[in-house]
Amino acid sequence: MIINCATNFNYAYIHHNDTKFNKVSTENLSAVSFQKMMQPSTKQYLSFLGGYSLNLAETLANLNDEAFPPDIKAMAEEILADGNPEDKTLISVHKAKYDKIKEMKSLNEVREAFPEFRNVLSEYDVDYKKNSFIYDVKMGNLEKFNPDIDVALQLLKLYWADCCSVTKMKQYTGRNAKNVLEKFNIPLFSNQYARVLQLSEKKYNKQNKDTHSAAMKQAWKEKQTEPIIHIPSDETKRKISHSVKAYYAKHPGLGAEKNAKMLEAKKLKSRV
């Protein structure tokens, strides 16, 4: 089960006080150069898509050691040492270890096989109230859960074996999934590991990339219709003001006529 938890990437709007904008005259700015200014760099784009997540070697280089669950990094290094002929990614390595949980019949069996889960609590070890998550499971109110199987075991299978994110799990539990997992003492992935784990699934990564590429193209298309407004600098404003004053100094009649029209407009406005 792969979870859709897309990260948004927004185009940066270029304001009049941005350094890059001030160095370029809007009168001489071609459509091509403006487009280059508006597009994210390759580094930003790959970072946004989690580009390194499809390359196991780059994943190991980019993830902090403490982000990995027990044995996962060592298993990945062993695969890379053999040349990674099957082009495995992080999720392949993760499931090679934790898929075994799906076949286990009891929480004790999981605890014995995986020391990292030895402190996970059974549903019999926690208190729960009416209309709580555990109550709903035991009453058969949640489709994803079996009332006859220890809730903790089902959560381990869903989160650790199926790699179901807390975002998706909320749809199944009807609760804040992080709080539910913590109630049973189930270890949580680090944010960095969870994100890369999700994006390392090739099918999901492609769907995510296609979705965001379409969104970015649409954002650019909409941006094309927006006018580029050049806000003059203080120096430009002073020059314009000086020019206007000089013009009316040479043409006093026009200045008087303009003032008369402005005065008349103010009178009309005050009557409304």
Side-chain angles (χ1 to χ4, degrees), residues 9-246:
F9 185 96
N10 296 320
Y11 276 106
Y13 286 86
I14 300 179
H15 300 286
H16 70 277
N17 58 344
D18 288 344
T19 303
K20 180 178 282 190
F21 188 91
N22 286 334
K23 289 182 178 179
V24 182
S25 169
T26 54
E27 296 177 356
N28 300 321
L29 187 62
S30 68
V32 174
S33 60
F34 181 73
Q35 182 176 1
K36 288 181 179 178
M37 288 170 63
M38 291 301 297
Q39 290 177 335
S41 67
T42 300
K43 183 177 181 181
Q44 289 173 321
Y45 188 71
L46 290 177
S47 175
F48 147 64
L49 290 178
Y52 64 79
S53 60
L54 293 180
N55 184 305
L56 187 57
E58 291 184 14
T59 295
L60 295 192
N62 281 279
L63 279 179
N64 299 323
D65 288 351
E66 57 270 21
F68 291 93
D71 306 323
I72 298 299
K73 185 172 184 179
M75 291 172 64
E77 288 173 338
E78 186 176 341
I79 290 170
L80 291 173
D82 290 337
N84 194 12
E86 297 179 16
D87 193 27
K88 292 184 176 181
T89 62
L90 181 62
I91 199 166
S92 310
V93 182
H94 181 96
K95 288 192 172 186
K97 178 179 180 181
Y98 292 108
D99 250 10
K100 301 170 187 175
I101 298 176
K102 294 180 183 179
E103 309 303 322
M104 296 181 176
K105 305 300 182 182
S106 70
L107 181 58
N108 282 334
E109 189 179 355
V110 177
R111 287 168 174 163
E112 291 175 6
F114 301 95
E116 57 265 44
F117 302 134
R118 62 181 176 272
N119 295 322
V120 172
L121 301 174
S122 166
E123 64 179 38
Y124 304 107
D125 299 323
V126 297
D127 296 325
Y128 63 91
K129 300 177 181 179
K130 187 176 180 179
N131 297 324
S132 66
F133 164 68
I134 300 176
Y135 176 87
D136 283 345
V137 172
K138 305 319 287 183
M139 291 295 103
N141 297 332
L142 298 176
E143 182 180 353
K144 190 67 180 178
F145 295 88
N146 187 333
D148 299 323
I149 299 176
D150 194 318
V151 177
L153 178 60
Q154 295 184 75
L155 291 171
L156 281 169
K157 290 180 178 181
L158 194 62
Y159 185 69
W160 278 90
D162 286 334
C163 303
C164 187
S165 74
V166 291
T167 302
K168 189 70 174 180
M169 286 180 69
K170 185 176 181 179
Q171 298 178 22
Y172 301 141
T173 63
R175 311 295 197 285
N176 183 317
K178 182 178 178 182
N179 292 343
V180 170
L181 292 168
E182 289 177 341
K183 185 177 184 69
F184 288 92
N185 252 0
I186 294 176
L188 296 169
F189 304 143
S190 71
N191 291 336
Q192 187 185 30
Y193 185 85
R195 179 173 180 271
V196 178
L197 183 67
Q198 182 182 18
L199 286 170
S200 67
E201 202 284 319
K202 295 177 182 179
K203 183 178 179 180
Y204 169 76
N205 191 295
K206 184 180 185 305
Q207 291 174 343
N208 186 64
K209 180 178 180 180
D210 291 345
T211 298
H212 285 282
S213 293
M216 293 170 75
K217 287 178 181 178
Q218 181 61 29
W220 169 245
K221 183 178 179 181
E222 293 174 358
K223 190 66 182 174
Q224 294 281 52
T225 63
E226 297 181 13
I228 301 175
I229 302 174
H230 177 60
I231 301 177
S233 65
D234 291 340
E235 179 62 25
T236 301
K237 291 178 181 178
R238 283 194 292 270
K239 289 180 179 179
I240 293 174
S241 177
H242 178 75
S243 299
V244 171
K245 289 178 181 178

